[in-house]
Amino acid sequence: MFGKRLLPLAIATAVGIGLTLALVFFYAPNDADQGFVQKIFYVHVPMAIVALFGFMAAGIMAVKHLRTGDQRWDMRSYVAIHMSIILGVGVLVTGSIWARAAWGHWWVWDEPQLVSFLIVFLLYCVYYPLRFSIEDRERQARYSSVFAIVAGAFVPLNFIAVRLAETFTHPRVLGTTAGGMPGSMRFTFIVALISMTLLFITLMKLELTSKRASDQLKRLRRKLEAQAASA
Amino acid sequence: MPALPLEEAGKYVAGAYGVFVVLILVYVAIIGAKVARIEQELETLNDLVDKRAT
């Protein structure tokens, strides 16, 4: 019943997450400035990056749907947004915990990175009522794709806004020039980012497989009902 | 703000990683429930086909 390559993907994800945790707690040194609390960085930042790239990938999938008319691209776009929203919840909660530990506040409204991520998150929360308020499947897919493209184009602004922001209240560990992070921290971060990407792909594939199986089941039931009616 | 002592920082770090683990577990549990429902429906349809065949 499960899609091809799901098992090796799931194993790679589990190994990646295990390796990441080992590197975070036994290899990467404590931050000189923030101390042990900086370990939150290795879960918070990869989640944020993968969620934002997930939103953009959903936009690209939506373009493919509009160009080809293939409903599978719409479903992929929907699942990518769904997964990114779930990661987005994680980003907001872990970010709040980190903010409380590092700055003494659960939320800082004048911090552009936090607020811009919240805006992106809330924007995508609108996707669900928009999608499910349309009953006709084709119109639903078309309107959802248009939303995913427009919102996906807005996401890079989140990155640009942060880079242009003058305030440096938010911890800037990913510098634009070399030397922002020691090698061991950088390596741990890259492993964490790869693991988070693998987790995203695995969960997306799992959700898509479950949706496809559910659709096939519905079709089978309809066929059987039609046969029973004609007999 | 100065770095927090390890025992206090540990609570925040455990909280953040705990949120991540719970989020993934809840999601996997929801997908598991969906798959179980699909399996149950398949069984029902199988029974229906068997009944018709006999």
Side-chain angles (χ1 to χ4, degrees):
Chain A
M1 140 174 243
F2 291 108
K4 287 173 199 163
R5 294 193 298 268
L6 188 58
L7 184 65
L9 251 176
I11 292 169
T13 305
V15 170
I17 289 176
L19 181 66
T20 303
L21 289 175
L23 288 172
V24 168
F25 293 107
F26 300 110
Y27 174 68
N30 279 347
D31 184 65
D33 185 36
Q34 292 192 32
F36 190 65
V37 156
Q38 187 265 349
K39 301 280 183 194
I40 297 173
F41 161 76
Y42 300 106
V43 68
H44 171 73
V45 179
M47 255 200 295
I49 291 174
V50 172
L52 291 173
F53 272 99
F55 287 137
M56 287 193 282
I60 294 165
M61 289 164 189
V63 170
K64 287 209 168 193
H65 167 248
L66 290 183
R67 285 186 67 177
T68 62
D70 188 345
Q71 294 285 329
R72 282 177 301 180
W73 284 111
D74 168 59
M75 191 47 71
R76 284 175 192 144
S77 172
Y78 163 64
V79 172
I81 289 175
H82 185 57
M83 291 309 313
S84 297
I85 285 275
I86 292 169
L87 289 186
V89 172
V91 172
L92 291 171
V93 177
T94 56
S96 280
I97 294 171
W98 194 8
R100 174 76 178 143
W103 305 329
H105 300 285
W106 292 105
W107 190 264
V108 181
W109 282 108
D110 56 1
E111 171 52 45
Q113 187 153 355
L114 268 68
V115 179
S116 59
F117 190 88
L118 181 68
I119 291 169
V120 168
F121 178 79
L122 292 176
L123 173 70
Y124 276 96
C125 286
V126 178
Y127 179 82
Y128 293 100
L130 171 83
R131 187 178 177 92
F132 295 112
S133 62
I134 303 166
E135 280 184 25
D136 179 54
R137 286 292 291 267
E138 273 198 25
R139 270 184 65 218
Q140 183 192 65
R142 210 165 50 242
Y143 285 25
S144 301
S145 289
V146 171
F147 180 95
I149 293 164
V150 175
F154 175 74
V155 169
L157 290 177
N158 189 54
F159 286 112
I160 296 164
V162 170
R163 290 288 164 190
L164 292 178
E166 284 180 16
T167 170
F168 293 107
T169 315
H170 196 279
R172 283 174 67 90
V173 275
L174 288 175
T176 46
T177 53
M181 206 168 24
S184 52
M185 281 185 170
R186 192 174 289 270
F187 176 68
T188 307
F189 171 72
I190 289 166
V191 172
L193 188 58
I194 292 169
S195 304
M196 197 61 76
T197 309
L198 281 173
L199 180 69
F200 182 89
I201 295 168
T202 307
L203 293 182
M204 205 178 138
K205 205 161 172 54
L206 187 66
E207 174 99 39
L208 278 170
T209 308
S210 137
K211 285 207 181 300
R212 265 187 226 126
S214 183
D215 279 351
Q216 281 179 6
L217 200 63
K218 273 181 202 160
R219 263 187 279 160
L220 184 63
R221 175 173 283 179
R222 273 201 294 270
K223 271 185 200 167
L224 284 170
E225 280 169 359
Q227 275 179 5
S230 63
Chain B
M1 207 172 140
L4 294 172
L6 187 64
E7 59 268 26
E8 192 157 345
K11 286 179 201 165
Y12 288 110
V13 174
Y17 280 84
V19 164
F20 171 68
V21 170
V22 167
L23 208 64
I24 300 306
L25 285 181
V26 166
Y27 180 76
V28 170
I30 290 168
I31 290 287
K34 270 189 198 172
V35 170
R37 205 167 49 231
I38 291 169
E39 199 175 10
Q40 210 173 9
E41 278 187 46
L42 267 175
E43 269 176 34
T44 315
L45 287 180
N46 257 323
D47 289 346
L48 196 73
V49 172
D50 286 346
K51 268 184 205 164
R52 275 193 205 166
T54 51

